[in-house]
Amino acid sequence: MPDRPSLAVLMDPLESLKPAKDSTIAMLTAAGRRGCDTWYFGQADLWVRDGRAMARLRPIQVVADGKDWYRLGEAVIRPLAGIDAVLMRKDPPFDTEYIYTTYLLERAEAEGVLVVNRAQGLRDMNEKVYTAWFPDCCAPTLIARDMDRMQAFLAEHGRIVCKPLHSMGGRSIFVLAQGDMNARVVFETLTEYGRHYAMVQRYLPEITDSGDARILLVDGEPVPVVLARIPGATDHRGNLAAGARGVARDLNDRDRWLCSRIGPVMRERGMLFVGLDVIGDFVTEINVTSPTGIRELEAQCGLDIAGRLIDAVLARVTRK
């Protein structure tokens, strides 16, 4: 590894980010403190020419916490080969453009660039669907496009949560109870009348008191505290973007067991930064695309989670 390792971050437009809350900015800050050359680019700045991943990169520095939080340098066009690591931090939706982006990043991986999280894993591990690989860690779950099957699942469990497979931040999440006259409409909306898959899960009442806990895994190992996101009084969703409040708590024994099941798989498959969503005793989602929660935990507990991630990235670069 050179004296000044290089780190490029593929992310959303800078003007759309909130410095006090954004985990990617925390990562950039930690990388700068460790002497990394840091670069910024978006999806439109990435292409492949004759099999080589190319990018329009701009050097970026985090200089403040307020509105004018960054400084950008002049753009350069270069192959991604030669950059030590690329952080893929583009938020969902997980659409075809996102998938195409992972193909392009995989060409950089073929030339020795460390991509975090690994491009193939981003494609393979849909945040809702991938829970099916760990059924012993999850509440009863159905992934289907058959609305009658969903109706039967509701009748079996009495109360369920319904989700689309492609969105984030609590968007289009419904809670239904047996007898709800809106049930059929919800199933029609989420599946577009049976044309698309959606997820339904048994409702976990623990969310009301203990919240939807975000456990962060760094190279397969859990951060020792979790962010319990408690829904507001007028909402059922444990998402910060939907108004939930985040409260830090220590890992419990069940959390550690869930991490022992899922963490080694994440490490083996090159997923260095993963967020497990846990309600009560069960994992409800495995977030690999652009997990958040760093800022809230660092503010409440004084941890350097972003630094821990960057150290893990640099360790892998050294081994490569």
Side-chain angles (χ1 to χ4, degrees):
M1 187 171 65
D3 291 337
R4 290 184 60 86
S6 53
L7 183 74
V9 185
L10 195 163
M11 53 198 290
D12 289 305
L14 298 175
E15 61 274 12
S16 70
L17 306 183
K18 298 177 180 178
K21 293 183 174 294
D22 193 86
S23 293
T24 305
I25 297 174
M27 296 173 192
L28 283 168
T29 301
R33 288 174 179 163
R34 283 155 177 76
C36 297
D37 290 328
T38 50
W39 302 83
Y40 162 78
F41 68 124
Q43 283 177 298
D45 300 313
L46 173 68
W47 67 95
V48 164
R49 173 65 188 266
D50 300 328
R52 297 204 80 189
M54 304 289 296
R56 179 180 181 270
L57 302 176
R58 298 186 69 179
I60 184 171
Q61 286 183 294
V62 178
V63 295
D65 288 330
K67 180 179 178 181
D68 300 319
W69 60 270
Y70 64 90
R71 183 178 299 129
L72 283 177
E74 293 296 320
V76 297
I77 293 175
R78 55 170 293 179
L80 280 180
I83 296 289
D84 291 306
V86 171
L87 299 186
M88 173 50 164
R89 292 289 300 175
K90 173 71 181 70
D91 279 344
F94 189 83
D95 53 15
T96 52
E97 287 303 304
Y98 193 104
I99 292 172
Y100 294 149
T101 302
T102 67
Y103 287 133
L104 272 55
L105 290 175
E106 200 163 20
R107 295 309 306 153
E109 286 181 324
E111 294 192 86
V113 180
L114 176 68
V115 176
V116 178
N117 285 319
R118 191 178 180 189
Q120 182 180 357
L122 292 174
R123 289 195 302 274
D124 289 351
M125 299 179 187
N126 176 276
E127 312 199 326
K128 278 80 170 174
V129 178
Y130 199 63
T131 58
W133 272 247
F134 304 93
D136 54 330
C137 298
C138 303
T141 300
L142 170 69
I143 301 166
R145 53 197 290 180
D146 185 317
M147 293 181 285
D148 291 335
R149 200 175 301 278
M150 292 179 173
Q151 189 73 53
F153 188 89
L154 174 57
E156 178 185 354
H157 294 286
R159 197 174 186 191
I160 63 173
V161 177
C162 310
K163 305 176 183 180
L165 297 182
H166 62 277
S167 62
M168 59 170 284
R171 295 171 190 163
S172 302
I173 293 179
F174 299 88
V175 174
L176 294 174
Q178 178 66 7
D180 192 322
M181 299 296 286
N182 290 306
R184 194 70 182 186
V185 176
V186 170
F187 300 149
E188 290 169 356
T189 300
L190 291 182
T191 67
E192 294 193 20
Y193 293 88
R195 291 192 294 270
H196 297 289
Y197 285 100
M199 168 185 276
V200 293
Q201 294 173 315
R202 187 182 75 197
Y203 178 79
L204 299 170
E206 294 90 342
I207 190 170
T208 302
D209 296 322
S210 57
D212 184 349
R214 167 60 58 85
I215 302 175
L216 295 177
L217 298 175
V218 177
D219 203 7
E221 294 295 328
V223 173
V225 292
V226 305
L227 187 68
R229 298 162 297 175
I230 313 296
T234 60
D235 205 320
H236 60 81
R237 295 171 295 175
N239 301 87
L240 298 179
R245 62 186 174 91
V247 179
R249 66 162 175 82
D250 292 335
L251 284 171
N252 59 38
D253 289 342
R254 176 67 176 183
D255 296 331
R256 293 187 183 90
W257 183 83
L258 295 170
C259 294
S260 73
R261 288 279 293 109
I262 299 173
V265 179
M266 298 297 105
R267 182 189 304 113
E268 180 182 350
R269 300 198 59 181
M271 314 308 281
L272 268 68
F273 191 58
V274 175
L276 305 182
D277 289 348
V278 176
I279 300 174
D281 289 337
F282 299 107
V283 171
T284 60
E285 295 186 17
I286 300 174
N287 294 272
V288 301
T289 50
S290 188
T292 60
I294 285 180
R295 288 292 205 187
E296 292 80 6
L297 286 174
E298 289 188 342
Q300 292 187 40
C301 304
L303 301 175
D304 185 14
I305 301 170
R308 180 173 171 175
L309 172 63
I310 297 303
D311 289 342
V313 169
L314 296 179
R316 289 226 177 185
V317 168
T318 300
R319 290 197 294 270
K320 285 169 68 68

